[in-house]
Amino acid sequence: ASAVPLCLQTLMRGDARWTAAPGADGGVDMFHRRHKLVYDGLVRGRTWYLALDFGLACAACALGGVRSKDPTVCTIVAALNVVVLLVAFVLLVALRPHASLADKVQGPFAALCALVAACLSVVPSLRTQALVAGAVAQVAVVLMFVLRAAVLLMELSPAIRARIRADLTAAAHTKI
């Protein structure tokens, strides 16, 4: 039994857990065994989304690497970045590749914040607001990472599970 409440497990993981396909020898394919954590948060049959997401991230990074002293070039690059981030946001919302509710909410939220930051960065007078929107996206990503790490630690550590169980039992027997 897990020390993590079932509702929190469902929020973090979703109902559909990814399972590896059997290999030619009947065992679990080694590639999937090694990379299960990569695919674990995705809906079954949507593992190809990782390649799409990676391609869009590479495009955004390539655009971010363009440097020019010409303001027209900078504006064009910023507008192209908005287009790439808009495509990424629309695909994330439309395809819903993540299994957990947490990822289904956090992913589009972070993508939307990045998109807003990119839109604001096109206008030179709104660069400060763009930095704020980008920072909000990063904070959302970090908070979800911390929550996931805490849940994973609680699931994996027998000592923590035993301590929580003992505390809950003691609290149940304590009279107020």
Side-chain angles (χ1 to χ4, degrees):
S2 175
V4 180
L6 184 60
C7 61
L8 187 57
Q9 290 178 25
T10 303
L11 173 73
M12 298 307 294
R13 282 205 196 106
D15 295 326
R17 300 285 293 180
W18 182 84
T19 54
D25 62 352
V28 175
D29 185 29
M30 285 303 293
F31 177 83
H32 293 290
R33 185 180 300 167
R34 284 190 190 134
H35 302 290
K36 182 180 184 301
L37 289 176
V38 174
Y39 300 116
D40 204 29
L42 296 174
V43 172
R44 189 169 302 167
R46 296 262 166 84
T47 54
W48 52 266
Y49 178 78
L50 289 177
L52 181 64
D53 193 39
F54 180 72
L56 289 168
C58 287
C61 288
L63 288 171
V66 174
R67 299 285 181 244
S68 176
K69 291 183 180 182
D70 184 5
T72 306
V73 172
C74 291
T75 303
I76 291 170
V77 168
L80 287 173
N81 194 33
V82 168
V83 170
V84 169
L85 292 173
L86 178 64
V87 168
F89 175 72
V90 168
L91 289 175
L92 187 61
V93 170
L95 297 175
R96 298 184 317 153
H98 296 104
S100 72
L101 178 61
D103 287 335
K104 285 179 184 175
V105 171
Q106 183 264 336
F109 175 75
L112 182 62
C113 288
L115 178 61
V116 168
C119 289
L120 293 173
S121 71
V122 173
V123 181
S125 62
L126 298 176
R127 297 259 161 93
T128 302
Q129 289 86 343
L131 292 173
V132 170
V136 168
Q138 292 302 317
V139 167
V141 170
V142 168
L143 287 176
M144 287 307 295
F145 175 77
V146 168
L147 182 58
R148 252 190 216 98
V151 167
L152 183 63
L153 183 64
M154 286 172 42
E155 285 180 334
L156 296 180
S157 174
I160 292 174
R161 281 199 319 252
R163 175 65 187 208
I164 290 173
R165 238 183 259 127
D167 289 347
L168 290 175
T169 304
H173 294 305
T174 303
K175 294 181 182 179
I176 297 177

